[in-house]
Amino acid sequence: MPSHEQPMAFQSSQDFIRALKAASDPPVAGGPTKIEIAQQAWANASFYMPSKAEVIVDWIFTKLLKEKGKEIAQNPIFDARYWQLAATLSSSQNPLGTSNDARSTKSWLTALLHRTPLAPVVVALLMSYKDVPVDQEDVLATSVNSCLSVVWHIAVHKMTTELLQECLGGFLCTALAGAPSDGLSGIGRMISSSYRNSLNNSSNKKKLHQSFLQSHLRNWMSVLSAASAPLDPSLKISLLDAGIDTMFNLDILRLAHDSRSENPLVDRLQSISQTERALVLEHTPQILVYYIQAIKKNRGALFSQGSQAYATSSKEELYMNGMQFFISLLGLVDDSNRSPEAWTARLLLLQTVDKENIFDGKQQDSQMTFNRLLELVLLVLGEAWKEEQLECTGLAVQCLSVISHIDYDLVLPCVPRILPLLLQIPVASEPHFAFLDILLSYHTKTRTMATLVESLYASIAVPRTCPGGSLQVYQICSTSPVMHTAHMEHLARALQTFLTESQTMPTIQVVLDALKAAWEKIYGRAHQHEDGGNAKKKRRTSAAFVDTSVDLDDLAVQYSLVARLSSVVLSSLPMSSLSGPTQEEVRRVVDAFRSDFIYHALSKAVKLLRKRGDAEMWAIEVALAASLRLLYALDVSRNLCLPPAYDAKLNGKILDLVVDDTLLPELTLELFRVLLFNLSQGNELSPEDVINRLLEYIERNFSATGIVWSGNASHLTRSEIGRAEAALAVMHMVVERWLPDIDRLASSEQLQRLLKTIIAIKLPVAQPKAMQPEQLLLEILHSAQFFEFPNIRTVFLDLIGSMTARLDPSATKPPKTSSMLEKVTIFGHLLLFPMEYFSWPLLNDLINRALTSDIALSKASSQKQGIAEALIVLRVFLQRAYIYCGSIGQDSNKDTAEYLIALLKESPAVDAEFKADFTKASLDLVEVYFSKLLKSSKKHGPEPVLQVLDAFASDAFIDSRDISSSSFIALVNLLVNDFPQNSLPQEIVAALRKLHDSVSATLLPRVSSIVEMELTQKDLGVYSGLISAWYSIVCLNQWLEATGEPAIHLLGQKLMSRLISSRATGNLSPCSKLNEVGVVTFAVLLQELEMRPVSEHALQLDLIVAVYIALSDTLSPTSITVMDAHLGKACKKVALEDYVHLLSLVSESLADLKHIPAGRLLHIVHLAALLLREHPSHSLVHVQKFATCCINTFTEYPAFVSGPVELRLQVLDTIVQHCLDQQAALRSQDSAGICLLLSKFLAPSQEHDTATEPRIFHKIVGVLNALVRQRRDLVTHALPHLGLLLRDLLLCMRACRPNLGARQTALVMHTQPRWLSAAQPLGAEEARVLARLLEGLTAKTSVRVPMGPAAALPKAESLAKPFAKHAAYVLKAYVDAMGTPLVVLALDVRRELLPGLFALCGMVSEHSRDALMVSALDGGGRATLKALWKEYDKQRYVGRG
């Protein structure tokens, strides 16, 4: 029984007091409890008691204090009723509080809270809150929060800082248990805020610091951890600030600075890390950030008056303290800990040092720390080849980059050790390139690129430490960051730009010596391997000492890397910056090296390979491939421009060698590259032999599917897969580089072989992401150059004709279904083939063959998989071909009709995966056939069309989604859009009328049933199909121009009513099908307008407007666009009287703001814009009146200027659209209204949006641009208004200076319009748009107004001369913005504004400029204007050249 319904448990105030002070609870066995008695006493207005609220609150807080140690079930602290009653009493007066002696709540509550401590109660509550039942937590927290929000600010004055810290600790314990509710978050904010205020005034900060570290630091970090439950942002900031103020207040910082002892915070973090290492690692970087911010904030108090023993400046002392703390925190990350978390912590600590710029090279301890960290990085990089170490490796390299950014001299001694380790990283990533770019940046700035090149060669010579065979090492090194294409490109650009002339020849010598030394080693070891134990032959062939301890394969890897680097260095020499003699010397040396060394090395390697027999010589093959790559790089280098060189004997050996399938595929690729290059240069090679061997290799090894190549030649291994990848690489090379030469030199038979291989590749389902045959096919078919090769195109067309010949209708033996499906795949390739390149005979043949295949496959649709995909391809091809031809083939109308009838009657079993594509392809083709038959009906007779119309069954819409029903809709759309009734024979019109009657009779009952039933979500697809069909019937009825009473029932109103009611009752939820139903039903409603009597048009138009607004609330933006298209089309056809009625209805709605919510108002403004844009002929006067009415309405009512952002944008959209599209309809009163409206948008506001809306700025500028450029005659009469608007736009570019206080920010923002936010000023893009507007004032344009046929064209003029009197005041706005102390114009903004400001300067006369300088500007303003004018004078044209 509720307490207010129970009989009174007391009769007087004495009884009430005795009940509350009774020893037992409830006071009377079986009676109400004490809290219920208190609630009853307060709720009973007839019970009078002096200071009733004070007595009850005193009892509540005393009870909470005394019984705080009880179990939760008996503890009043965890009973929400006590807190709710206390909150009510503390914030209210006695219901009978009308006597003169009644004290205010604040007076008695203050005295009560001062004698009854509240902090122990709060601590007890928070410490045991986690044990509260889950279903009671939210109610309890909300009740406590509401009570404390009233009494906390009074009780906190009697709480010590220690007590508040206990409260904070209790809250942290509670927050650890789970995400705090809103009520608990409010309690946390109150406690942390009060604790911070008390801490700032406390004199015992050291004790508080110690207790916080020992008791609460772990919980504080755990609550703020990313892994903990999410906190309210304001609560998180409050807790964070409380902890930072405790650890880094001025007293603690001064104590730590003076004592020079170990920081207790670091010791405590060290002890916590023993059990919770991840927690400490997460927070250590942030603690460093907060510490540095604290010592910078208190720099004057800490370092300005230090001891005389430290004769350093305060800045250096600050840096030293910051670095000492960094070193201490870095020590928490144990060197033996190489986990990703540890490396992340190291990286963040280093980034903090870099960002705060606290490192000084004089600090020996810091240098030692960085050196130790670099050694740790090197240890990690030593294991970089392990896949499980990739994450740690990336983080370690990022640490290297940050250390390099801090001071490159720290890393410089370690670079010779770092580069060899980077060569062992198998997967290159962005951090690796970032570090290598830092190396390049350093050496370019110091002009020591030659030193970097030497370091790179030295790193290659260092033995690899990664395990595995030579092949694995070769692949790792080839794809490492150092050898990656991205780094090589950066290195090439740096060499071309920053390698000096004095360094060029020594660098070339280093490259040549490295190449020769590497080759001599590998060639000597190869001879030793070949000669075996023949000592005499060994002495004869090995002139130099050969280190036999190094494996031959390792030497080959080293030589390949040296050759790769050498090709980049030699190809990137700074030839353009060298003097003439040096250029000649460089070319002579490199050419001699090519002739004397490279060709010699190639000959020796080829000789070794030809003598090998069946043995594998992987090392020699890799070395030969590297030499060939180097030779090719030098030959094709446009930078070096070496003279042509050719060795016929060597190329003959290469041509003989390339047929060997046992060669390393990587070598085969390079052999073909050199052969094709020499072939392209016209050297003595047989094109037929080279191309034949190329094609033979591709045909033997190429696979059209299942092959993926990484793009790196080192991955082309000696295996079947490797040879297939090599064939793909050769194909890719031919397509990318040598296709013009293949087209020029290959025979027709060879071209046919190549194209057959290409066509054999199947089209991909999705876009390939790596080098695959499918990607190669797409590159070919998307290449315009491929189709421009005359020989290739001719052979390709012949090949297509021969491959599809068996599909020809005249074929004696038609192919089987499986064979036909294979042949049809060629049409998928032809979809990517430009139709312009087909010859007319071939295109007609392809069309006939596609038709034959389509008919045959349609009959076999239930027998084999893949039929649907083939039919889609065929029908899309036919549709494209017919559109390109302009007509359908040479088949007769009879054949066309038969095929069309077959399409209408087919019902193939298509998988859901292909259903939509199949239906679309079929409908597109049906529409093309309908168009052909209708166009030829008058010339060739109506019989084929009549046959097709007879094929439509009256029950076609039983299945609303089959081909027949959709084809009927497509036919009606075609008739309405392209074929007036008088363009067709009467027989066809009569047949259409008959079809209309039969279909409408069948469809009417089904559509009528929709009106009578409640719409459901699951049947929306059926409703959409039926209503779409009914819309087609209505359109066809109107096309037939039925007279008298409408030939069909008008169901639009009923359908719309049922749709809106079902939506309102919640039966329908938003989805794509609902959008379709809404749009089509609205289209039916529009179509029925002309079918109604004229007397009913006004009511129908009212309904249309109401429905439009209602649907705009629920439909998607895409559906609203479709609905706008239907309405716009209808507006162009309605009678002028109906259009005027629509305008008046919308005008009245715009002005009736009291009854229209803001959301609906947005749609009305959108409708107004649509009516201004889409209007019937001879309606200019009405459009002008309506536009003036809209502008005046927008100006009159503040809702259009200060309402929701979307409404404001729509208003400006309407004005912009009208000024751009209907500029001839603008009148002088319109320009005045527009200026007034824009000035309201730019007016200063006391309130601002949370985020800046730049689109408003762009639209305002767009309106002024349209007026200035197209209606100069109107602007000339409103130049003062234009000047004011331009001033306001310039002032909008101002931004608040950083670190302004709240009051200063408010002073600035009160001068800015509502749509600007202090946190997000306008940027360079807006400045560029405004500058373009100012430049438009000087552009000569003609006035766009309606003129008679005999009127002369108006003279093109600009506004520069009329606006000259006002330009000075616009310039003054810029000067004021530059001189205001609280604002700033960003550098990029000023840069973008300059062209517009220069245009203003060009308008201002010298007299106006001098007057502005003297009378309107102070000293700073004059300096700003002088500087601007100086820049203007530099760039202006003065007529001297």
Side-chain angles (χ1 to χ4, degrees):
M1 182 178 182
S3 59
H4 65 274
E5 296 178 2
Q6 292 179 351
M8 293 286 290
F10 47 86
Q11 300 298 326
S12 63
S13 57
Q14 291 82 0
D15 294 340
F16 176 66
I17 298 297
R18 286 193 205 99
L20 293 182
K21 291 185 177 182
S24 60
D25 190 7
V28 179
T33 60
K34 291 182 180 180
I35 185 61
E36 292 173 344
I37 293 172
Q39 289 175 332
Q40 191 179 43
W42 178 252
N44 190 354
S46 61
F47 174 66
Y48 173 76
M49 176 182 177
S51 304
K52 180 165 53 170
E54 180 181 0
V55 171
I56 298 175
V57 173
D58 188 11
W59 169 77
I60 290 175
F61 286 155
T62 302
K63 185 176 181 66
L64 295 177
L65 181 64
K66 288 182 177 180
E67 301 182 8
K68 65 179 185 297
K70 288 187 175 182
E71 296 290 335
I72 289 182
Q74 290 82 32
N75 198 327
I77 292 178
F78 302 98
D79 191 338
R81 294 177 296 174
Y82 287 87
W83 296 100
Q84 291 169 353
L85 184 58
T88 304
L89 296 173
S90 301
S91 58
S92 306
Q93 290 288 348
N94 193 317
L96 297 179
T98 57
S99 60
N100 295 330
D101 61 343
R103 294 190 297 164
S104 66
T105 303
K106 183 177 180 179
S107 61
W108 62 258
L109 188 59
T110 302
L112 189 154
L113 292 173
H114 285 178
R115 67 175 181 267
T116 306
L118 191 60
V121 177
V122 176
V123 172
L125 168 73
L126 295 173
M127 295 301 293
S128 301
Y129 186 83
K130 58 182 179 297
D131 298 326
V132 176
V134 177
D135 57 341
Q136 300 177 16
E137 285 182 353
D138 289 345
V139 177
L140 177 61
T142 304
S143 304
V144 175
N145 182 42
S146 62
C147 178
L148 292 182
S149 63
V150 178
V151 304
W152 183 262
H153 67 282
I154 300 174
V156 75
H157 295 297
K158 285 296 182 180
M159 296 182 188
T160 64
T161 311
E162 289 79 1
L163 271 177
L164 287 171
Q165 193 180 85
E166 285 189 39
C167 293
L168 180 64
F171 178 79
L172 293 174
C173 291
T174 302
L176 276 177
S181 61
D182 293 340
L184 202 58
S185 297
I187 298 171
R189 283 191 292 269
M190 281 188 284
I191 293 174
S192 54
S193 177
S194 302
Y195 170 69
R196 286 185 65 202
N197 295 333
S198 179
L199 177 68
N200 292 333
N201 298 320
S202 175
S203 59
N204 198 13
K205 294 186 176 68
K206 180 179 179 182
K207 181 180 177 182
L208 293 168
H209 177 261
Q210 293 174 347
S211 62
F212 181 82
L213 294 184
Q214 294 300 321
S215 304
H216 309 303
L217 179 60
R218 185 197 303 267
N219 291 344
W220 180 76
M221 291 193 299
S222 299
V223 169
L224 297 178
S225 173
S228 64
L231 296 176
D232 178 71
S234 59
L235 172 61
K236 189 172 185 177
I237 293 173
S238 184
L239 292 175
L240 185 63
D241 292 341
I244 294 170
D245 288 353
T246 305
M247 294 185 292
F248 302 129
N249 57 70
L250 179 59
D251 292 356
I252 300 302
L253 293 174
R254 185 182 287 122
L255 183 65
H257 178 257
D258 294 340
S259 64
R260 303 285 177 179
S261 60
E262 188 65 29
N263 196 314
L265 172 60
V266 178
D267 294 338
R268 180 57 182 156
L269 290 172
Q270 183 69 47
S271 64
I272 295 175
S273 67
Q274 302 299 323
T275 56
E276 298 186 43
R277 178 179 295 177
L279 182 64
V280 173
L281 291 178
E282 178 185 354
H283 285 277
T284 297
Q286 286 300 315
I287 289 176
L288 177 61
V289 173
Y290 303 141
Y291 176 80
I292 295 176
Q293 289 175 352
I295 61 175
K296 282 187 174 181
K297 178 181 177 181
N298 300 288
R299 172 181 168 183
L302 288 172
F303 309 120
S304 60
Q305 299 178 358
S307 170
Q308 293 299 321
Y310 298 94
T312 57
S313 66
S314 61
K315 185 176 181 180
E316 292 172 345
E317 203 167 356
L318 184 147
Y319 290 168
M320 185 174 63
N321 275 265
M323 286 304 300
Q324 287 177 351
F325 195 66
F326 161 74
I327 295 170
S328 300
L329 293 179
L330 188 62
L332 297 174
V333 188
D334 189 8
D335 288 352
S336 62
N337 186 358
R338 301 178 191 174
S339 64
E341 294 78 11
W343 278 109
T344 302
R346 295 186 184 102
L347 175 61
L348 293 175
L349 287 170
L350 288 170
Q351 287 175 341
T352 302
V353 173
D354 183 26
K355 180 180 178 182
E356 301 294 342
N357 194 21
I358 60 174
F359 174 74
D360 189 346
K362 301 176 184 178
Q363 302 166 1
Q364 296 297 323
D365 292 344
S366 302
Q367 290 190 7
M368 293 175 60
T369 300
F370 281 121
N371 290 336
R372 190 177 77 251
L373 191 56
L374 287 171
E375 292 296 330
L376 191 60
V377 170
L378 291 172
L379 285 176
V380 173
L381 291 180
E383 300 178 346
W385 48 271
K386 298 180 180 178
E387 290 186 5
E388 63 272 14
Q389 291 293 325
L390 287 178
E391 184 179 359
C392 291
T393 301
L395 293 169
V397 174
Q398 289 184 64
C399 290
L400 271 180
S401 300
V402 177
I403 296 175
S404 304
H405 196 266
I406 292 172
D407 190 347
Y408 188 83
D409 290 336
L410 296 170
V411 180
L412 189 59
C414 299
V415 170
R417 299 168 61 193
I418 293 172
L419 289 176
L421 298 177
L422 291 180
L423 269 170
Q424 299 179 172
I425 300 177
V427 180
S429 61
E430 195 59 38
H432 307 141
F433 298 137
F435 173 70
L436 292 172
D437 286 344
I438 291 175
L439 291 184
L440 285 174
S441 176
Y442 171 79
H443 288 284
T444 55
K445 291 175 181 176
T446 57
R447 297 299 188 270
T448 55
M449 286 300 299
T451 305
L452 177 60
V453 171
E454 293 177 5
S455 300
L456 290 172
Y457 278 109
S459 68
I460 294 174
V462 175
R464 307 277 83 81
T465 59
C466 55
S470 299
L471 175 59
Q472 182 180 356
V473 174
Y474 178 47
Q475 292 178 344
I476 290 175
C477 294
S478 299
T479 57
S480 65
V482 177
M483 290 295 161
H484 197 275
T485 305
H487 177 241
M488 290 291 105
E489 289 175 354
H490 294 174
L491 176 63
R493 286 198 295 267
L495 286 170
Q496 278 189 327
T497 309
F498 297 104
L499 187 67
T500 63
E501 184 167 358
S502 61
Q503 296 171 343
T504 301
M505 289 307 300
T507 301
I508 293 175
Q509 196 59 47
V510 169
V511 174
L512 303 187
D513 291 344
L515 276 168
K516 291 176 180 178
W519 171 253
E520 288 174 358
K521 290 180 183 179
I522 188 173
Y523 185 66
R525 286 287 290 117
H527 260 294
Q528 286 186 351
H529 185 270
E530 178 186 0
D531 296 342
N534 192 336
K536 292 182 180 180
K537 194 170 184 179
K538 181 187 300 183
R539 283 193 299 270
R540 186 170 62 250
T541 57
S542 302
F545 173 75
V546 179
D547 186 3
T548 58
S549 64
V550 183
D551 185 66
L552 177 61
D553 292 347
D554 293 339
L555 292 174
V557 172
Q558 181 179 333
Y559 177 76
S560 178
L561 299 178
V562 169
R564 164 79 169 136
L565 180 59
S566 300
S567 66
V568 173
V569 175
L570 293 178
S571 302
S572 306
L573 296 174
M575 302 297 290
S576 60
S577 61
L578 299 179
S579 61
T582 307
Q583 286 187 13
E584 294 178 2
E585 178 67 13
V586 169
R587 289 195 178 95
R588 185 190 65 78
V589 171
V590 177
D591 187 34
F593 171 75
R594 178 180 61 173
S595 304
D596 299 339
F597 174 76
I598 299 181
Y599 278 117
H600 176 74
L602 290 173
S603 299
K604 294 295 184 183
V606 171
K607 182 179 179 181
L608 287 174
L609 283 180
R610 296 178 71 184
K611 293 170 60 178
R612 77 189 189 282
D614 296 332
E616 291 186 3
M617 298 187 69
W618 181 85
I620 299 300
E621 290 174 303
V622 169
L624 179 56
S627 299
L628 290 170
R629 274 194 294 268
L630 176 60
L631 175 64
Y632 178 76
L634 296 179
D635 285 341
V636 301
S637 174
R638 296 181 180 179
N639 187 39
L640 288 174
C641 295
L642 297 178
Y646 178 70
D647 188 336
K649 183 177 179 181
L650 175 63
N651 279 275
K653 294 178 181 179
I654 290 176
L655 188 59
D656 295 336
L657 193 64
V658 81
V659 298
D660 189 353
D661 263 353
T662 63
L663 282 180
L664 186 68
E666 177 186 0
L667 176 58
T668 304
L669 173 65
E670 301 307 326
L671 293 173
F672 278 123
R673 193 193 308 274
V674 171
L675 288 173
L676 289 171
F677 173 75
N678 288 319
L679 196 65
S680 69
Q681 299 301 308
N683 295 323
E684 299 175 5
L685 274 176
S686 169
E688 183 178 359
D689 292 342
V690 173
I691 297 175
N692 270 336
R693 297 189 182 182
L694 174 73
L695 294 174
E696 287 169 2
Y697 183 80
I698 292 175
E699 290 167 349
R700 282 197 308 269
N701 300 295
F702 185 76
S703 176
T705 57
I707 297 299
V708 179
W709 178 45
S710 65
N712 196 296
S714 62
H715 291 165
L716 301 177
T717 57
R718 199 190 314 270
S719 63
E720 184 177 350
I721 295 179
R723 286 188 288 273
E725 292 177 359
L728 174 61
V730 171
M731 280 283 290
H732 183 263
M733 178 183 67
V734 169
V735 170
E736 289 291 319
R737 177 66 180 84
W738 307 112
L739 212 53
D741 299 293
I742 297 294
D743 177 73
R744 179 171 54 90
L745 300 172
S747 64
S748 298
E749 180 185 354
Q750 291 172 332
L751 289 176
Q752 189 177 52
R753 290 167 62 188
L754 177 64
L755 293 173
K756 278 185 177 180
T757 305
I758 294 174
I759 293 178
I761 305 172
K762 294 184 178 180
L763 287 171
V765 178
Q767 183 68 30
K769 297 182 179 180
M771 178 50 62
Q772 297 174 259
E774 292 82 0
Q775 183 189 15
L776 184 65
L777 175 65
L778 292 179
E779 288 180 4
I780 293 172
L781 296 180
H782 288 158
S783 171
Q785 185 187 29
F786 176 79
F787 296 106
E788 291 296 335
F789 294 130
N791 297 327
I792 288 179
R793 184 173 66 244
T794 302
V795 174
F796 199 7
L797 295 177
D798 293 341
L799 182 61
I800 291 171
S802 62
M803 291 181 68
T804 58
R806 289 196 61 193
L807 301 176
D808 199 88
S810 59
T812 56
K813 185 179 180 182
K816 295 181 180 180
T817 302
S818 57
S819 176
M820 184 176 293
L821 286 174
E822 293 179 6
K823 300 292 183 183
V824 163
T825 56
I826 188 63
F827 287 96
H829 296 70
L830 298 184
L831 294 179
L832 301 175
F833 200 99
M835 288 291 173
E836 293 79 4
Y837 292 105
F838 285 115
S839 63
W840 285 107
L842 176 61
L843 185 57
N844 282 325
D845 289 342
L846 290 175
I847 290 174
N848 291 330
R849 292 165 188 175
L851 280 172
T852 303
S853 303
D854 185 288
I855 295 171
L857 291 175
S858 298
K859 296 177 181 177
S861 59
S862 60
Q863 300 175 9
K864 197 172 184 63
Q865 293 293 327
I867 298 291
E869 300 95 304
L871 288 175
I872 292 172
V873 169
L874 289 170
R875 293 176 183 181
V876 172
F877 172 79
L878 286 170
Q879 190 241 352
R880 286 191 61 211
Y882 292 157
I883 291 175
Y884 170 69
C885 294
S887 61
I888 299 177
Q890 298 177 358
D891 51 340
S892 65
N893 284 356
K894 181 179 179 182
D895 296 336
T896 302
E898 291 177 355
Y899 178 67
L900 188 53
I901 292 171
L903 281 178
L904 295 177
K905 291 185 176 181
E906 75 173 0
S907 56
V910 181
D911 295 339
E913 179 184 0
F914 307 106
K915 182 72 174 177
D917 292 336
F918 180 81
T919 303
K920 184 179 185 306
S922 301
L923 289 178
D924 291 342
L925 191 58
V926 165
E927 188 172 348
V928 171
Y929 271 101
F930 273 139
S931 179
K932 182 220 173 178
L933 290 178
L934 291 172
K935 286 178 181 178
S936 61
S937 59
K938 279 200 170 182
K939 182 177 180 181
H940 298 99
E943 289 77 14
V945 179
L946 297 178
Q947 291 178 16
V948 175
L949 294 179
D950 289 340
F952 282 106
S954 59
D955 57 351
F957 291 94
I958 292 179
D959 182 1
S960 59
R961 290 299 180 186
D962 66 356
I963 297 295
S964 178
S965 59
S966 300
S967 300
F968 177 80
I969 296 174
L971 172 61
V972 173
N973 291 334
L974 191 65
L975 290 170
V976 172
N977 294 325
D978 299 333
F979 294 94
Q981 187 186 126
N982 55 13
S983 67
L984 298 177
Q986 290 301 315
E987 294 88 344
I988 295 179
V989 175
L992 287 170
R993 193 180 304 277
K994 179 181 178 183
L995 179 62
H996 164 272
D997 295 339
S998 62
V999 173
S1000 60
T1002 306
L1003 194 59
L1004 179 61
R1006 303 197 65 192
V1007 178
S1008 301
S1009 64
I1010 298 177
V1011 177
E1012 299 170 358
M1013 67 174 65
E1014 194 70 25
L1015 303 186
T1016 58
Q1017 191 80 23
K1018 64 178 182 178
D1019 293 329
L1020 278 177
V1022 178
Y1023 302 151
S1024 175
L1026 291 174
I1027 298 175
S1028 298
W1030 186 252
Y1031 172 67
S1032 299
I1033 291 294
V1034 174
C1035 292
L1036 181 58
N1037 180 79
Q1038 191 169 354
W1039 183 85
L1040 290 170
E1041 296 181 356
T1043 57
E1045 292 297 324
I1048 60 172
H1049 290 73
L1050 302 180
L1051 301 176
Q1053 292 186 10
K1054 296 180 180 179
L1055 289 171
M1056 186 58 69
S1057 175
R1058 175 56 62 190
L1059 175 64
I1060 293 177
S1061 63
S1062 298
R1063 181 75 180 88
T1065 55
N1067 291 341
L1068 302 178
S1069 56
C1071 63
S1072 59
K1073 292 298 180 183
L1074 180 61
N1075 292 334
E1076 292 179 14
V1077 172
V1079 170
V1080 176
T1081 309
F1082 180 76
V1084 171
L1085 203 62
L1086 283 173
Q1087 204 66 33
E1088 289 180 353
L1089 176 65
E1090 297 300 323
M1091 301 170 63
R1092 291 184 176 275
V1094 177
S1095 59
E1096 297 181 8
H1097 280 198
L1099 292 175
Q1100 184 76 357
L1101 290 171
D1102 293 349
L1103 178 63
I1104 288 172
V1105 171
V1107 167
Y1108 178 88
I1109 296 171
L1111 289 179
S1112 297
D1113 275 337
T1114 58
L1115 298 184
S1116 65
T1118 305
S1119 300
I1120 292 177
T1121 303
V1122 178
M1123 190 167 62
D1124 287 347
H1126 283 293
L1127 182 56
K1129 186 177 178 181
C1131 286
K1132 290 183 177 181
K1133 296 180 180 180
V1134 297
L1136 189 58
E1137 294 78 8
D1138 294 338
Y1139 179 71
V1140 172
H1141 179 80
L1142 274 176
L1143 297 182
S1144 62
L1145 180 61
V1146 174
S1147 300
E1148 293 172 3
S1149 302
L1150 283 175
D1152 190 14
L1153 298 184
K1154 295 181 180 179
H1155 303 94
I1156 298 178
R1160 296 287 177 87
L1161 193 60
L1162 170 67
H1163 304 314
I1164 297 176
V1165 176
H1166 182 74
L1167 178 58
L1170 190 146
L1171 294 176
L1172 283 173
R1173 184 178 68 248
E1174 309 289 351
H1175 52 81
S1177 57
H1178 308 295
S1179 58
L1180 177 61
V1181 175
H1182 304 289
V1183 170
Q1184 288 178 326
K1185 291 180 180 179
F1186 181 62
T1188 304
C1189 178
C1190 289
I1191 294 170
N1192 293 338
T1193 304
F1194 297 156
T1195 307
E1196 181 180 356
Y1197 295 101
F1200 296 105
V1201 178
S1202 58
V1205 173
E1206 294 302 324
L1207 177 59
R1208 285 179 268 165
L1209 287 170
Q1210 185 59 60
V1211 169
L1212 288 172
D1213 262 336
T1214 304
I1215 303 299
V1216 171
Q1217 169 200 299
H1218 186 62
C1219 292
L1220 289 175
D1221 299 342
Q1222 304 286 336
Q1223 66 271 10
L1226 289 172
R1227 299 182 292 180
S1228 57
Q1229 56 264 46
D1230 294 338
S1231 64
I1234 290 172
C1235 290
L1236 179 57
L1237 177 63
L1238 297 185
S1239 66
K1240 289 191 173 185
F1241 272 102
L1242 294 171
S1245 174
Q1246 301 295 312
E1247 299 178 356
H1248 293 85
D1249 298 337
T1250 55
T1252 297
E1253 186 49 76
R1255 289 179 293 175
I1256 293 181
F1257 183 90
H1258 285 273
K1259 293 183 187 303
I1260 292 174
V1261 173
V1263 172
L1264 294 178
N1265 247 327
L1267 292 175
V1268 166
R1269 292 180 179 273
Q1270 299 182 4
R1271 291 307 303 267
R1272 188 185 65 255
D1273 56 325
L1274 298 180
V1275 179
T1276 305
H1277 301 294
L1279 291 178
H1281 303 305
L1282 178 62
L1284 289 173
L1285 292 173
L1286 293 177
R1287 278 178 53 87
D1288 291 340
L1289 288 171
L1290 267 173
L1291 293 176
C1292 287
M1293 302 307 304
R1294 299 174 299 166
C1296 295
R1297 285 192 179 274
N1299 302 320
L1300 288 184
R1303 184 171 297 178
Q1304 293 171 319
T1305 303
L1307 286 175
V1308 175
M1309 294 310 297
H1310 287 171
T1311 64
Q1312 296 283 48
R1314 181 188 184 96
W1315 43 272
L1316 282 178
S1317 170
Q1320 186 185 354
L1322 297 176
E1325 180 63 28
E1326 288 70 39
R1328 188 180 304 116
V1329 171
L1330 179 56
R1332 196 176 300 122
L1333 170 61
L1334 295 174
E1335 289 180 290
L1337 296 173
T1338 63
K1340 292 185 178 182
T1341 57
S1342 299
V1343 178
R1344 303 290 182 89
V1345 293
M1347 297 179 295
L1353 291 175
K1355 183 180 179 182
E1357 295 179 353
S1358 73
L1359 284 171
K1361 187 174 181 180
F1363 193 70
K1365 298 178 181 178
H1366 310 277
Y1369 302 104
V1370 182
L1371 277 176
K1372 184 178 182 298
Y1374 171 76
V1375 174
D1376 291 344
M1378 290 290 294
T1380 305
L1382 298 181
V1383 301
V1384 63
L1385 282 179
L1387 178 61
D1388 55 345
V1389 171
R1390 298 200 305 271
R1391 187 185 301 115
E1392 296 294 345
L1393 280 175
L1394 278 180
L1397 296 174
F1398 291 160
L1400 292 174
C1401 292
M1403 299 179 206
V1404 176
S1405 63
E1406 292 187 5
H1407 176 75
S1408 298
R1409 180 196 64 189
D1410 296 341
L1412 180 64
M1413 294 277 284
V1414 171
S1415 61
L1417 300 178
D1418 56 8
R1422 286 193 288 272
T1424 302
L1425 187 57
K1426 285 180 181 179
L1428 175 64
W1429 213 272
K1430 185 177 180 181
E1431 293 295 324
Y1432 165 67
D1433 285 335
K1434 287 181 181 178
Q1435 59 84 42
R1436 71 170 175 169
Y1437 175 67
V1438 294
R1440 294 181 181 175

